[in-house]
Structures are given as C-alpha cells and as structure tokens.
Amino acid sequence: MTPEERFEAIIAAEEKIEPPDWMPDAYRNTLIRQIAQHAHSEIIGMQPEGNWISRAPTLHRKAILMAKVQDEAGHGLYLYSAAETLGVKRDELQTLLHQGKHKYSSIFNYPTLSWADIGTIGWLVDGAAITNQVMLTRCSYGPYARAMVRICKEESFHQRQGYESLIALCSGSPQQKAMAQDALDRWWWPSLMMFGPHDTDSTHTEQSMEWKIKRVSNDDLRQQFVDMTVPQADYLGLTIPDPELRWNEERGHYDFGEIDWDEFWAVVKGNGPMNRDRVDHKVAAWDEGSWVREAALAHAAKRAESAA
Ligand code: BYC
C-alpha cells in the first residue's frame, strides 16, 4: 500500500490521521490554517469579555467571567499544541497573527458596550461555537478532534452561563430587559457570520468535507444554530432583529434574512470596528510578557543543565 492509499484508507474507515502518519501537504496546510485561526480566535476572544471583568455587577458574576476568560486561554493553548503536531512552531503562528497575516473569527472585532453583551456572547457566540465545533470532535486529524472534546464541554458551560445571565436581565427591570434586547440587536447578525460564507462562496468546504476535517457545511450549521436559538429568544421574550425570520412548515426549519456580506468581508479583511485595537492589544501583551517567557526558558535550561 502506498502512503497515499493508506491515508485514503484511514479517512474512509473513519479512523484518525496521527502526527507521524503521511498526509498530503494540502491536508496539512488546511489543518494548520484552520487550527491556527481557531487558536487565535480563542486568544483574541478573551479581549471583549476581559473588558468587563473589573465591571461585573457582582462578585459571583465576576468569578464566572474570570473562569470563562481563563478557559478561552486554555482552549488557545490546546489548539496551538495541536497545530504544533503538524510541524509549525507556535511562535511562528503568533508572528503571523501579529503581522495581520493570519485571520481570527470576525465576531471578536465588535465592541462589548454593556454588561448585557457579556451574557449575549455566552448565549450566541458560544452557542454558535458549539454548533460549529461539535462536528470537529469527529475531525479526521486526531490531535484536533481530541482537543475539541474538552473545548466543547467547556463551551457548553459557557453557553449556559450566558443564557442564565440573560434570563436574570430579562426578568429584571424594564431597563435591564431593554439592555438585553439592544445586545441581541447588535450581536445577532455577527453571530450568524461566524459560520463563514455561503457554501457556494466557500473556498475550502468541499475539500475539507472530503477529508473529513469539516463534517457539516457552513450553511447547514448556520441553519442548525438559527433553529436552536429562535425558541431560546422567545423564552426570554426578546425579538430577533430579522423581519424575514419565520417558521417554514414545509422545510421544517426557520427561514431567515440575508447576511450583510459586505460587512462580513470588511471585518474579515481587517476593517471591522475593533480589528486594529484587538491586534494592537495582543502585540502589546506579547511584548510586555516577554520577561515571563525568558524567565521560563531560563528556568527550563537551568533544570536541563543540572539534570545532565
Ligand atoms: N471570521 O472557505 P471558508 C470561539 C474565512 S472561537 C473570519 O468557508 P473554512 C470562542 C476563512 O478562513 C470561534 N474569517 O473557510 C472564543 C477563509 O479564509 P482563508 C472560532 C472567516 O475554513 C472565545 C475564507 O473566509 N471558531 O469559539 O472552510 C469566546 C473562506 O471561508 C470566517 C473556529 O475557528 C469568520 N467567521 O470555514 C467564545 C472553528 N468565516 O483562510 C467563543 C474552526 C470564514 O482562505 N474553524 N472565514 O484566508 C472552522 O470551522 C472553519 O474554519 C470556518 C470557516 C467555519 C470558520
């Protein structure tokens, strides 16, 4: 059996490709691209929520938010480790992010303007993330699939805490409910954009599905998310900002309006409301943290020296 045939056989048998296995360069590069983008998203995603840690309304909410933001850092670390098994160094990936040559999820380029945004991110953004990521636990590349199992468990907790926070706001004062509605108005469409372009405009979906990296297409995942989320908004007594949203009996799904794709591509290309701030903040944190990395490396070198 040639290495190519063995690779195809592993994929066909629903088994996992592992780091020492032969794999086509394009498969490796697609995984590096997707896993790195995913890792960067987790790390950049700490910023909009971190912005509210010092202003959380109670100690209880602050403790939950700190734990959530720390979880996102952990997700970034598992994912950079998974990317490293493909032969890239995490420093190289950081440099590409800092230079604006690597993408991260469009959603994190919007500002968090009120406390209700924090609950809404948990509900919608983590909700969209789980919808997208459960399929990745069945990805054909072993280290990515295994990292996703733990990440999905934590995202599920994040989604529930966000929804619970919104239940509290929506059963509070009229001002609190209005704040929740305002957050939903601003986060709804960016959340739908998280799933990426329509299948017909997606560069990578077809090949990634053939390789069983992606298991479900962008549009099918977006539909799943809408179908799951509309009843949750109804329960909260909030209105989704889409006049075209209605149940389609024949399809057994909700119909919904068209995303503003010009806005999506502007954000993806670096021109969203917060792109520049997010990357500047990340670079500053990297520079300010250099002494920690240097100290850790010096410590490791010293230990290796005394062990020799
Ligand atoms: N934002 O061919 P397509 C989280 C790009 S973190 C920016 O469909 P693909 C969380 C795409 O990269 C959430 N760019 O691509 C953290 C491609 O450009 P390149 C992140 C986007 O890869 C903290 C081009 O558009 N989740 O959960 O087959 C707090 C064409 O797209 C976006 C992941 O990263 C976007 N929204 O499918 C809370 C999950 N959409 O690379 C939560 C893993 C598309 O050719 N990633 N693009 O220059 C994936 O599942 C897939 O990469 C995507 C896109 C579904 C996102």
Side-chain angles (χ1 to χ4, degrees):
M1 203 186 254
T2 65
E4 288 87 339
E5 285 165 349
R6 186 168 175 274
F7 172 83
E8 295 297 342
I10 293 173
I11 302 276
E14 297 284 329
E15 286 167 11
K16 299 292 179 215
I17 303 291
E18 296 297 341
D21 292 334
W22 182 89
M23 62 189 89
D25 286 346
Y27 177 85
R28 187 184 297 277
N29 291 336
T30 288
L31 279 166
I32 293 174
R33 177 187 62 80
Q34 179 168 327
I35 299 173
Q37 280 177 13
H38 194 163
H40 299 327
S41 304
E42 300 282 357
I43 298 298
I44 297 283
M46 294 165 75
Q47 292 184 38
E49 293 184 281
N51 180 35
W52 278 87
I53 290 176
S54 61
R55 291 176 288 159
T58 66
L59 180 60
H60 178 67
R61 294 282 176 203
K62 186 192 287 240
I64 294 174
L65 183 57
M66 279 174 64
K68 180 180 189 304
V69 173
Q70 281 180 344
D71 283 353
E72 310 301 356
H75 299 174
L77 296 183
Y78 316 149
L79 289 165
Y80 286 126
S81 298
E84 282 189 314
T85 64
L86 291 156
V88 278
K89 289 257 170 291
R90 95 177 51 187
D91 278 10
E92 288 169 41
L93 301 178
Q94 297 293 318
T95 304
L96 290 165
L97 173 65
H98 296 169
Q99 292 173 341
K101 292 182 183 155
H102 260 189
K103 293 190 169 74
Y104 57 88
S105 182
S106 49
I107 192 76
F108 301 116
N109 293 304
Y110 292 86
T112 38
L113 303 178
S114 81
W115 171 251
D117 288 19
I118 299 306
T120 306
I121 288 180
W123 172 36
L124 298 182
V125 176
D126 287 273
I130 300 168
T131 308
N132 165 269
Q133 290 170 19
V134 165
M135 66 156 180
L136 296 174
T137 62
R138 295 187 294 119
C139 165
S140 58
Y141 187 59
Y144 192 28
R146 290 189 286 273
M148 291 317 302
V149 172
R150 179 160 176 185
I151 292 178
C152 283
K153 284 187 183 154
E154 292 176 352
E155 299 291 24
S156 170
F157 157 74
H158 295 170
Q159 196 269 350
R160 282 162 205 219
Q161 68 77 37
Y163 193 61
E164 191 272 334
S165 170
L166 279 187
I167 290 177
L169 285 177
C170 290
S171 47
S173 67
Q175 289 89 340
Q176 285 173 310
K177 187 151 185 194
M179 199 161 81
Q181 180 64 55
D182 170 63
L184 173 58
D185 290 347
R186 286 180 290 104
W187 289 93
W188 175 252
W189 291 105
S191 299
L192 296 193
M193 293 175 195
M194 284 176 73
F195 297 94
H198 279 311
D199 297 346
T200 43
D201 299 324
S202 163
T203 328
H204 306 289
T205 297
E206 197 181 334
Q207 180 62 76
S208 288
M209 286 183 72
E210 247 169 57
W211 278 328
K212 298 183 180 166
I213 293 174
K214 281 167 87 163
R215 297 299 192 125
V216 186
S217 77
N218 299 357
D219 282 327
D220 287 351
L221 288 169
R222 192 166 14 241
Q223 181 73 61
Q224 252 181 46
F225 174 72
V226 172
D227 291 348
M228 173 184 86
T229 310
V230 174
Q232 296 172 347
D234 286 346
Y235 182 79
L236 292 171
L238 297 177
T239 307
I240 290 181
D242 179 356
E244 292 175 47
L245 184 75
R246 62 184 57 84
W247 179 252
N248 183 326
E249 197 62 56
E250 218 171 283
R251 291 199 312 121
H253 292 290
Y254 282 93
D255 289 338
F256 54 98
E258 192 58 327
I259 286 170
D260 179 347
W261 293 108
D262 290 341
E263 176 181 325
F264 171 75
W265 289 114
V267 175
V268 168
K269 289 182 182 148
N271 299 317
M274 299 297 286
N275 292 63
R276 185 160 306 177
D277 298 66
R278 298 291 184 237
V279 175
D280 285 354
H281 186 83
K282 173 70 178 65
V283 172
W286 179 259
D287 291 345
E288 283 161 22
S290 64
W291 68 271
V292 179
R293 293 190 298 279
E294 280 158 25
L297 287 173
H299 179 68
K302 192 99 191 142
R303 281 187 60 154
E305 202 181 284
S306 45

